[in-house]
Amino acid sequence: SQQGEEDPQALSIQEGENATMNCSYKTSINNLQWYRQNSGRGLVHLILIRSNEREKHSGRLRVTHDTSKKSSSLLITASRAADTASYFCATLGSSNTGKLIFGQGTTLQVKP
Amino acid sequence: DAGVTQSPTHLIKTRGQQVTLRCSPKSGHDTVSWYQQALGQGPQFIFQYYEEEERQRGNFPDRFSGHQFPNYSSELNVNALLLGDSALYLCASSLVASGEETQYFGPGTRLLVL
């Protein structure tokens, strides 16, 4: 079963605009990770945010995390056509057994 | 530094057959996890291997089994294939000993069961 609920399921924007994706989860976590997947290939790790962290940046990526709401958001600023991909959030449970639980993903299309 | 590699990239089997998928972890990693990703869905955890033992298992039947070798590479075996086993199978590696929690994924093996 999948813990994460992501929205929107699909997002279409123009190059240069910002894209925001949201993820919610149900149980307590050790950390939350965001991944990108191009055209059904392997997943690329983007950023990890721990359960006690509220915000993290990496280049054009900004991740926020609200423990009380059990939710996280991924913001991609100044999007590029190359950002077109599916984005997944994945949670690692508080027992930290190595099992990542993924959401269903958000498909992002960035039009040039 | 070689990343995670998987073989084969594509595979076509018929119902009832058996399949073996292979994974070599990123250099220096000691743990391998396997995931199944159906079309349009997020990956689902099958199991994880560490020190040649199954450390954690997801909600998959016994038809799914695995193995980890002393060099940390791993195999995923699926017996009595069903049409519903058609999916992208992803392998991910990590380093438990350092507390590194990030899992690095390979390109996947796309399995089609006819």
Side-chain angles (χ1 to χ4, degrees):
Chain A
S1 63
Q2 289 174 307
Q3 163 160 244
E5 300 262 342
E6 295 185 60
D7 79 272
Q9 288 189 357
L11 183 59
S12 182
I13 60 174
Q14 294 294 135
E15 213 166 23
E17 293 180 339
N18 296 341
T20 300
M21 293 157 244
N22 305 297
C23 168
S24 61
Y25 55 92
K26 298 185 178 80
T27 61
S28 61
I29 63 170
N30 179 290
N31 65 59
L32 186 146
Q33 303 179 35
W34 286 91
Y35 287 84
R36 184 186 74 226
Q37 185 177 41
N38 290 86
S39 303
R41 299 299 290 167
L43 281 80
V44 174
H45 183 263
L46 297 176
I47 201 162
L48 180 155
I49 189 162
R50 302 189 191 287
S51 59
N52 60 353
E53 293 178 318
R54 294 180 60 86
E55 190 168 317
K56 210 161 185 179
H57 295 82
S58 176
R60 293 184 297 113
L61 306 180
R62 175 183 168 227
V63 170
T64 58
H65 177 228
D66 187 331
T67 303
S68 64
K69 294 182 180 176
K70 289 187 166 57
S71 67
S72 174
S73 292
L74 170 67
L75 168 67
I76 304 174
T77 59
S79 63
R80 305 165 182 168
D83 294 328
T84 295
S86 293
Y87 292 82
F88 294 91
C89 72
T91 54
L92 184 69
S94 53
S95 57
N96 191 13
T97 57
K99 174 181 177 180
L100 282 177
I101 301 178
F102 284 82
Q104 301 233 6
T106 293
T107 300
L108 172 65
Q109 182 186 29
V110 182
K111 299 176 188 173
Chain B
D1 179 21
V4 179
T5 60
Q6 292 186 243
S7 64
T9 56
H10 294 82
L11 205 49
I12 300 175
K13 292 285 188 179
T14 56
R15 278 179 299 176
Q17 285 190 312
Q18 179 262 344
V19 68
T20 297
L21 310 181
R22 295 177 177 82
C23 171
S24 290
K26 184 175 162 67
S27 178
H29 282 185
D30 57 8
T31 303
V32 173
S33 303
W34 287 93
Y35 294 82
Q36 179 196 66
Q37 186 179 22
L39 202 60
Q41 303 291 316
Q44 292 208 37
F45 178 82
I46 303 174
F47 41 53
Q48 183 182 80
Y49 277 84
Y50 171 65
E51 292 188 336
E52 302 180 51
E53 299 274 336
E54 186 182 283
R55 181 176 179 230
Q56 174 87 338
R57 189 178 181 93
N59 189 26
F60 279 80
D62 292 345
R63 298 187 298 109
F64 289 77
S65 63
H67 189 79
Q68 185 179 36
F69 298 95
N71 66 353
Y72 307 116
S73 67
S74 176
E75 287 182 351
L76 164 65
N77 300 292
V78 187
N79 295 322
L81 284 167
L82 304 173
L83 296 181
D85 294 331
S86 295
L88 180 68
Y89 288 84
L90 295 161
C91 165
S93 74
S94 54
L95 181 59
V96 167
S98 71
E100 171 63 57
E101 298 146 332
T102 299
Q103 294 187 14
Y104 295 85
F105 283 79
T109 294
R110 189 164 295 282
L111 172 66
L112 178 60
V113 182
L114 301 175

